[in-house]
Amino acid sequence: SRNELLMLIDADLSEFKKEDITKLITPVINKKVDMTINLIESSPVLSKIIGLDFLSGIRVFSKKLINNKDIEKLHGFGLEVYINKKIIEKNLKIKIVRWHNVTQPVKTQKFGFFKGIKELCKMIFQINKTISFFEMGYQIIRLSYLKI
């Protein structure tokens, strides 16, 4: 990418509008924060309670944050936790951007119950190749302190 910022958006979102994109990117463009992370209506209940979906694939950040050689080594769903790790290492500020009307189907809705559970386990396994379960908890706590 030749631009300074990267925006990640999940392909299976519904009901999002151009205003939502503006809301996601503006704090980073205006240099109020280093990254925005999205929290959508269908985020897991725990994520809504703590006000942070640390696995959200919807975010905006500077491409300087990531190393392409590191990215090539990641497994599937490891990208988000890799980005979180970089944010934490550099003690950067994040903003949670809520999209109240936007939803995303959970794995069991997309694939059916049994295949959905299998895909969920596969996702967790891929994440665990990037960080440990202990580090997942650590990321949630540290990112919570980096929120503005």
Side-chain angles (χ1 to χ4, degrees):
S1 151
R2 63 187 163 161
N3 296 313
E4 176 184 328
L5 301 178
L6 293 175
M7 178 184 294
L8 306 180
I9 299 284
D10 290 343
D12 57 354
L13 298 175
S14 57
E15 306 298 324
F16 81 100
K17 300 169 179 55
K18 112 177 142 173
E19 296 83 28
D20 296 321
I21 300 294
T22 302
K23 192 174 174 184
L24 187 67
I25 198 168
T26 300
V28 181
I29 287 175
N30 291 341
K31 302 200 184 305
K32 298 203 183 285
V33 296
D34 301 292
M35 180 173 70
T36 52
I37 301 177
N38 188 256
L39 192 61
I40 59 175
E41 188 59 35
S42 57
S43 291
V45 173
L46 181 60
S47 296
K48 287 194 218 175
I49 290 170
I50 63 174
L52 170 70
D53 184 353
F54 85 113
L55 296 176
S56 175
I58 309 165
R59 42 180 85 200
V60 175
F61 55 93
S62 169
K63 71 179 180 182
K64 293 175 187 169
L65 184 64
I66 59 175
N67 179 320
N68 287 340
K69 290 188 190 312
D70 289 344
I71 298 293
E72 292 169 7
K73 298 174 192 170
L74 295 175
H75 300 275
F77 289 91
L79 178 62
E80 290 82 0
V81 293
Y82 166 81
I83 295 167
N84 294 346
K85 197 174 195 174
K86 295 298 178 186
I87 288 288
I88 291 166
E89 284 172 4
K90 296 175 187 276
N91 206 37
L92 301 176
K93 296 296 177 199
I94 65 171
K95 179 178 173 80
I96 306 306
V97 176
R98 293 179 183 260
W99 289 349
H100 295 285
N101 297 318
V102 178
T103 59
Q104 180 178 40
V106 294
K107 301 234 181 281
T108 53
Q109 290 173 314
K110 288 197 283 192
F111 301 109
F113 182 76
F114 292 108
K115 187 163 194 260
I117 296 297
K118 180 182 172 188
E119 291 297 316
L120 181 62
C121 291
K122 183 176 158 185
M123 178 185 80
I124 292 167
F125 181 73
Q126 289 174 348
I127 291 167
N128 195 239
K129 281 185 164 185
T130 306
I131 64 170
S132 68
F133 285 111
F134 172 77
E135 194 172 353
M136 286 183 205
Y138 174 75
Q139 282 194 0
I140 292 168
I141 293 166
R142 286 291 293 130
L143 289 170
S144 293
Y145 283 104
L146 296 174
K147 291 189 308 184
I148 64 156

